[in-house]
Amino acid sequence: MDHAFEHYKRTFQDIGPIVFRNVVLITNVIIYLVIIMLFIYHETQVAFFLLIAIVVAIVIGLVQDIRARLMLEKLQMLTALRVARVNQNGTEESVLAEEIKKGDRVKLKLGDQVPCDGTLISSEGIEVSNALLTGESNSMLRLTGEKVQAGGIVTAGKGMVKVETPFADSRISQITKHIKKYTWNFSPIQISINRAIKYSGYLLIFVLGFIIGRGILVHQPVVSVVKNVAALTSLLVPQGLVLVTTILFAYGAVNLFRKHVLLQEINATEKLGRIKNLCLDKTGTLTEIKLVVEKMLVPDWIQKTEAEELTKAYLNGSNDSTESVQALTKFFTFKRVANTNEYVPFSSQRRFGAVTAKNAGGDVSVIVGADDVVLPHLADEKDKLWLQQTLKDNTSGGKRILCVVKTRTYGLPKDLIKTKLLLVAVFIFYNNLREGIRDVIDFFQKRGVIIRIISGDNPETVSAVALSAGVKNSEAIILGQEMESWTQEEYNAKAGNYHIFARINPEQKEKIITALKKIGFTAMVGDGANDALAIKKADLGIAMFDGAQATRRLAAVVLTNNSFLALPGGVKLADNIIGNIEIMASLFFNQVASGLFFFIILSVLNHTFPLTPLNITLIDYFGIGFPSMMVFYWAVYATEKPRLPSVQPFLRRVLPFAVVSGFFQAIVAAIIFFQSTAYLKTGGSNSNVIFAFIVFNTIFFIFAPSVYIGMTTRAQKIMFAGFCVCAVILLYFIFQVPLMLDFFDLNYTAGINITSFLIVIFSYCAVQFGIVKWFWLKARQIRHT
């Protein structure tokens, strides 16, 4: 299948919800009714212009919405589930899971996610965990002829499955169908905005009831009532904020991708800025992913040739693809040949693998495993003493140990209980610390993020690497063995006390993440199949692009250059995007607040609302439309060092400044209204008030970055100056062209003393500056608390 247009297909399959959320809004529905009423009462010109305005707004919204969706779909195609399908002639091809049909044969290997329900037609020690389906973390050996379910994760071995159901009909497809949908999984910011819109809708119903009721009591013309309803509907419900936020998230996702941070959930942008606990695996995150064998150590009582032969026998018979085995294969320059010996594949749960091999004394089982797994089962005391001394000499520098042992126990051991082992050799591995990792750790710790290392390695190695990387409190360490008897309640109570978790198995990782989520927003970074459960459980899962397929699919964020070093750049951009979303939200909420307070003041003083729907459209262009273009630019092209994220909830951060400013704007607008001539006070379109609101919105927009981002940069000041010049020119043009006057329903007769108007405006500027100063200091204090 040609995948070049796959993202277009996915987008237009879901075109219905996109159209619905742009067309069927509470504000739009009311305006549709208003247009119908205006036509009925022969206000054809106003109805026609209002129809044009609403159609233009809908079209712009649809174009932006679809474009944002297309961009996200293009990114998500990069991590779409792909599988190795075996054709009838034996050739293999990589295809999307959605292309798999009943009867196809699919190859599975370590780290793969089973794409479809089916039956194993070959099994080479394959083990599958169904934790994503059942919630149980145990991994089980699957034999030829056994069933496997879509969504299972291959934790050891490999095999081939014959597909019985297409991917779309599998259970996991149904479960995860909407996981990465474009707007359906709301972030905390989106939830807050929806809550604000809901309550503004309740407020609108009350206001509309008041307008209609008063119109009936004072015998106000129906057309006038209808116009007031439409005007206040446009003014009091910030419904466009949902679309603006979604588009900002989408454009942010595209620009994050340029920084090697791929978002698989559009609102993961916000989550990047909320991390409080950052959990890392050692290998591949703090250190380079490639293991290198530094040396092979053999006890004096073992011949080196025997140790090499037994190690090669394991490499030849195990079929393992772990980093350790790849490093050993490279060390011996070894090539695998056909082998039919029995073997137990290495897995994160067992932390050892085993094969049968020929030896001078007969068949033996060769076992390769971690030192703490092997040490308790060594039969000879001198083996124990030698291994303990080797560990002491080689783990302090952050090196990794792998032991090769043998046993003459009949059959391969599924566990090492009651198994007596004889030491054969020890391999010392090392991973270089990633270049720049200290700066990355320092970046997060300065943000107040707690770095926690969760690793399967021995404690000395993990602690040494953490200390070298600059991780604070690296002495607060605990072993997985100490946690084996803990209940989840004990995890919840104790896990937060530790910063280094060593000798941890996948099930323990999941429990640790569950506990840490209760004390702060928790992110998990990993790349192997053993990280999949923890990444799924975390508030924010972060995976490497070249890591295990299952892990990559479950993560909300994928680092496309396979480097943890890409994350700070993504977090900085996320901070900037969130800050600019706050600016954009403040513009909407400020306009709602000023309009509401202005309406209340005039209603108390027994005056009708002096603005029409087309007047509000003009105010929106200058107060929301044009500023949004600048905010979109600032959001993705940071013009300054982003501020630290605030600890306050979104609405508590945004609303106070917007509402307080709106209150004073309403008072000043009322003063200007009462300075107008009697004609403008009783007419439906007061040009003085329109101009005043445009000025208020412009001044508020100029000050907003200082409050929400922390400062106004030189580049922003230049853009503000250009914006003001363009606004003056455009307003002059509108008030000079008769067609524009008609389109926006404007009355050119100003009827106001320009001197008194300027005095009022400058007085407002002084008050607004004081408000900005107070909120700026308060926001700064909160950010640095």
Side-chain angles (χ1 to χ4, degrees), residues 441-492:
I441 296 298
D442 183 60
F443 166 82
F444 280 106
Q445 290 181 156
K446 283 182 177 178
R447 288 172 63 88
V449 176
I450 299 174
I451 303 294
R452 304 180 194 271
I453 311 300
I454 306 177
S455 176
D457 279 350
N458 66 59
E460 291 82 6
T461 299
V462 181
S463 183
V465 171
L467 186 64
S468 177
V471 176
K472 294 180 180 179
N473 301 311
S474 55
E475 71 283 354
I477 188 168
I478 188 170
L479 300 181
Q481 294 92 317
E482 301 174 55
M483 306 169 71
E484 284 180 351
S485 61
W486 285 10
T487 63
Q488 187 60 57
E489 288 70 24
E490 289 176 302
Y491 273 91
N492 297 344

Side-chain angles (χ1 to χ4, degrees), residues 548-601:
Q549 185 186 70
T551 303
R552 187 174 69 237
R553 284 283 295 167
L554 292 170
V557 174
V558 177
L559 304 179
T560 57
N561 64 348
N562 303 300
S563 175
F564 178 57
L565 277 62
L567 203 53
V571 171
K572 289 177 184 178
L573 182 55
D575 286 343
N576 196 64
I577 290 169
I578 291 171
N580 281 281
I581 286 176
E582 291 172 7
I583 292 174
M584 203 66 234
S586 72
L587 298 179
F588 278 93
F589 292 138
N590 173 253
Q591 186 159 296
V592 170
S594 59
L596 176 63
F597 289 131
F598 182 59
F599 170 76
I600 292 173
I601 291 171

Side-chain angles (χ1 to χ4, degrees), residues 38-83:
L38 290 173
F39 275 117
I40 290 174
Y41 283 90
H42 305 293
E43 292 285 338
T44 307
Q45 182 174 332
V46 176
F48 181 71
F49 284 143
L50 186 57
L51 179 62
I52 292 175
I54 192 69
V55 169
V56 169
I58 290 173
V59 170
I60 292 173
L62 277 171
V63 170
Q64 290 177 319
D65 208 348
I66 293 172
R67 185 183 176 193
R69 174 63 181 268
L70 282 170
M71 289 189 297
L72 188 67
E73 287 291 348
K74 288 180 182 179
L75 296 182
Q76 289 186 353
M77 284 296 292
L78 295 174
T79 56
L81 181 58
R82 304 187 74 89
V83 296

Side-chain angles (χ1 to χ4, degrees), residues 259-328:
K259 295 182 177 292
H260 309 292
V261 179
L262 171 61
L263 303 187
Q264 300 202 97
E265 297 174 4
I266 189 171
N267 47 34
T269 302
E270 180 183 355
K271 296 178 182 179
L272 279 171
R274 300 183 65 220
I275 300 171
K276 294 302 176 187
N277 294 298
L278 182 57
C279 300
L280 312 172
D281 190 15
K282 178 184 73 67
T283 305
T285 304
L286 297 180
T287 64
E288 298 287 351
I289 193 169
K290 292 295 183 183
L291 278 174
V292 178
V293 178
E294 180 181 276
K295 55 188 173 182
M296 172 185 180
L297 301 176
V298 181
D300 295 337
W301 50 92
I302 299 293
Q303 292 184 358
K304 187 177 181 181
T305 54
E306 180 188 4
E308 290 179 348
E309 288 174 1
L310 290 177
T311 304
K312 290 178 180 179
Y314 177 83
L315 297 177
N316 193 59
S318 68
N319 283 328
D320 283 350
S321 57
T322 60
E323 287 294 328
S324 300
V325 167
Q326 291 181 35
L328 285 172

Side-chain angles (χ1 to χ4, degrees), residues 357-432:
K358 299 291 183 181
N359 191 259
D363 288 351
V364 295
S365 295
V366 182
I367 297 169
V368 172
D371 55 270
D372 64 317
V373 173
V374 168
L375 186 58
H377 303 286
L378 290 176
D380 197 321
E381 190 64 28
K382 65 180 181 180
D383 282 353
K384 289 185 178 181
L385 294 174
W386 186 88
L387 180 55
Q388 288 170 342
Q389 185 61 44
T390 300
L391 293 173
K392 183 178 180 181
D393 294 340
N394 289 279
T395 55
S396 58
K399 295 173 183 176
R400 187 172 177 180
I401 307 296
L402 194 66
C403 299
V404 180
V405 295
K406 65 180 180 180
T407 177
R408 296 194 183 279
T409 304
Y410 179 76
L412 287 176
K414 304 303 180 186
D415 58 58
L416 299 183
I417 298 173
K418 297 181 180 181
T419 304
K420 300 300 182 183
L421 304 176
L422 298 173
L423 191 61
V424 173
V426 168
F427 289 89
I428 311 298
F429 300 83
Y430 69 89
N431 299 94
N432 292 322

